[in-house]
Amino acid sequence: MEENYIVIPALEPGPGLTEQIVELHSRITAQIIVIDDGSGEAYRDIFDRISRIDRCVVLRHGKNRGKGQALKTGFRYIRQYAGTDCLVLCTDCDGQHLPEDGAKLLQAAEQNPGTLVLGIRDFSGEDVPWKSRLGNRISSFAFRLHGGGRLEDTQTGFRAFDGSLLDLMMQIPGERFEYEMRMLLVCADRGIPVLTEKTETIYVNENEGTHFRPVRDSIQVMSVLFRGLGRFGTSSLICALLDLVLFGFFDGAFRYMKPFRRVAAATVTARIVSAGINFLLNRNWVFRRPAPASLAEDREWKERYWLREEQTTVLRYISLCIGVTVSSALSVYAVSALADVRPEAAKILCDGMLFILSYRIQKSWVFAYRRKDDRPYGG
């Protein structure tokens, strides 16, 4: 049977953390790992008491390094002493989560190997602090826009998984609260299933013990979500300007042609070159997803699948370009005619929506590598 581990990152915890750990021990058979994330001497007595509890280990950071680093410190400890034959539960130190819900998450992780299990909160209650409600709604919308699917609670720290995901969790970048969002994005990119379990949440004094800074930490989380979209916008802008410059160049180069043929030839030639550059930027920068090491070292996979993969990606990109061009023309015409607005205004609206759609399609289809069994994976 796999051994259970509970990881609790803690920064300047209240005295209730000791009781929380005792309660966890009474409901779950597990080794508990508490990470003192640079709380300082004023909190040493609390951590010393915790370290004397049976089957409880305290790991210390000399200075505050952030929740993400604290979690990874706990994961490294588990990987070193338990390998991958284990189940891991992450919970916060503020007593929000019930031990019986933790047992439920661990059971779900055991029954679904290779799956991330989230304990999601109900944000409809009147006792939910406004900053928790607002922050989660914003991040959930952005996560869905990113292409990660619909999740009711993207900011929950109540998570469980089995040891097969430990190495991946340690490799995910991120030091503070943005780490948990990166975890979800990596799972979405790699096709790792994410299950959700409804859990109870107890807010103590309007959750005043949280160290989440609504403005600064929300900006960090949002920057993670919108980084890919920002790169996509930059790539699109660069290639749009390049297309304009190339059109002017080829229009002059084809001046011996009749006007219509000259414009058509300049347009097509400039678009082919700019689209090729856009493909390379998106392929190697915006949606860069190297093959997993196990496959990259597989010579048979390289010989049999790599060329086919590249050909498939190019064909998908060309198909998308044609589809977006046709959709833009048809939608601009329809909106301008039905809404009685100028085509320029209709184009801003329609192309803006197509921009988001194109991003999601390129991310999840065009530049999504395929496994040997033809299932998509990310990098």
Side-chain angles (χ1 to χ4, degrees):
M1 182 177 178
E2 295 172 311
E3 186 172 2
N4 296 324
Y5 285 84
I6 301 176
V7 179
I8 307 177
L11 172 63
E12 301 176 357
L17 178 57
T18 304
E19 288 73 19
Q20 178 184 346
I21 291 173
V22 172
E23 184 69 13
L24 282 169
H25 268 319
S26 69
R27 303 296 181 93
I28 304 174
T29 301
Q31 180 166 341
I32 297 179
I33 303 167
V34 179
I35 299 89
D36 172 11
D37 189 27
S39 300
E41 288 298 321
Y43 295 86
R44 180 168 289 275
D45 287 345
I46 294 177
F47 289 106
D48 286 344
R49 288 198 301 271
I50 292 172
S51 65
R52 291 192 288 269
I53 299 176
D54 186 44
R55 290 181 59 79
C56 192
V57 174
V58 174
L59 307 176
R60 301 181 188 273
H61 290 171
K63 62 179 181 179
N64 177 249
R65 297 172 60 189
K67 186 179 184 181
Q69 286 292 355
L71 286 169
K72 284 185 276 191
T73 293
F75 298 158
R76 281 191 289 270
Y77 178 90
I78 297 171
R79 185 67 175 85
Q80 179 179 357
Y81 290 99
T84 59
D85 189 21
C86 60
L87 296 170
V88 181
L89 173 69
C90 304
T91 186
D92 296 328
C93 69
D94 51 13
Q96 286 190 20
H97 307 299
L98 300 178
E100 48 266 39
D101 284 333
K104 182 168 64 174
L105 297 188
L106 285 169
Q107 183 180 18
E110 183 178 22
Q111 294 173 349
N112 299 275
T115 298
L116 176 65
V117 183
L118 303 181
I120 61 173
R121 300 163 287 183
D122 182 3
F123 287 93
S124 62
E126 296 181 357
D127 61 328
V128 180
W130 68 268
K131 61 184 179 181
S132 296
R133 192 194 311 270
L134 178 62
N136 186 74
R137 285 181 177 175
I138 294 174
S139 62
S140 294
F141 171 77
F143 181 73
R144 191 174 183 183
L145 183 67
H146 178 85
R150 183 181 181 87
L151 277 181
E152 299 176 39
D153 187 0
T154 59
Q155 293 185 310
T156 177
F158 208 21
R159 308 176 177 206
F161 53 89
D162 73 297
S164 67
L165 296 180
L166 263 177
D167 289 337
L168 173 65
M169 296 304 177
M170 291 187 292
Q171 294 167 9
I172 296 173
E175 298 182 351
R176 301 189 177 275
F177 287 99
E178 82 280 1
Y179 169 75
E180 291 173 318
M181 179 58 73
R182 286 183 182 272
M183 186 188 296
L184 295 179
L185 294 176
V186 168
C187 287
D189 286 346
R190 289 177 177 261
I192 295 172
V194 177
L195 296 182
T196 60
E197 294 280 351
K198 290 283 188 180
T199 59
E200 296 290 330
T201 304
I202 304 170
Y203 292 102
V204 181
N205 297 326
E206 287 288 308
N207 201 24
E208 65 179 10
T210 181
H211 293 279
F212 185 84
R213 299 159 294 187
V215 177
R216 183 174 176 179
D217 291 327
S218 292
I219 290 175
Q220 279 190 317
V221 172
M222 290 301 105
S223 68
V224 170
L225 283 167
F226 287 108
R227 181 174 291 117
L229 197 59
R231 287 184 175 184
F232 183 69
T234 301
S235 171
S236 300
L237 179 60
I238 289 173
C239 292
L241 294 174
L242 178 62
D243 184 70
L244 182 63
V245 171
L246 289 173
F247 173 80
F249 172 78
F250 288 119
D251 185 57
F254 299 150
R255 58 183 176 273
Y256 57 87
M257 293 183 176
K258 293 182 179 180
F260 175 77
R261 291 184 178 180
R262 185 183 71 245
V263 171
T267 299
V268 171
T269 308
R271 185 58 53 89
I272 290 174
V273 176
S274 63
I277 298 298
N278 184 251
F279 173 84
L280 293 175
L281 284 173
N282 290 352
R283 168 70 174 76
N284 298 302
W285 182 52
V286 181
F287 304 107
R288 180 171 58 87
R289 294 177 180 179
S294 59
L295 291 182
E297 297 169 1
D298 188 335
R299 183 176 178 179
E300 179 188 358
W301 180 83
K302 283 184 178 180
E303 293 177 351
R304 297 181 56 189
Y305 293 90
W306 184 257
L307 180 58
R308 188 185 74 178
E309 180 64 38
E310 292 298 288
Q311 292 172 340
T312 300
T313 301
V314 171
L315 291 175
R316 287 177 177 177
Y317 181 80
I318 293 173
S319 299
L320 178 63
C321 288
I322 295 172
V324 168
T325 301
V326 173
S327 298
S328 176
L330 293 176
S331 60
V332 169
Y333 174 78
V335 170
S336 61
L338 295 175
D340 193 24
V341 298
R342 292 182 61 83
E344 292 83 355
K347 186 171 178 61
I348 292 175
L349 173 63
C350 295
D351 284 3
M353 297 177 66
L354 286 172
F355 173 82
I356 300 298
L357 181 62
S358 176
Y359 171 76
R360 294 190 59 172
I361 292 175
Q362 290 191 49
K363 184 178 187 301
S364 61
W365 182 62
V366 175
F367 295 103
Y369 288 109
R370 316 298 290 184
R371 297 181 190 272
K372 292 181 182 181
D373 57 6
D374 209 35
R375 290 185 293 111
Y377 66 81

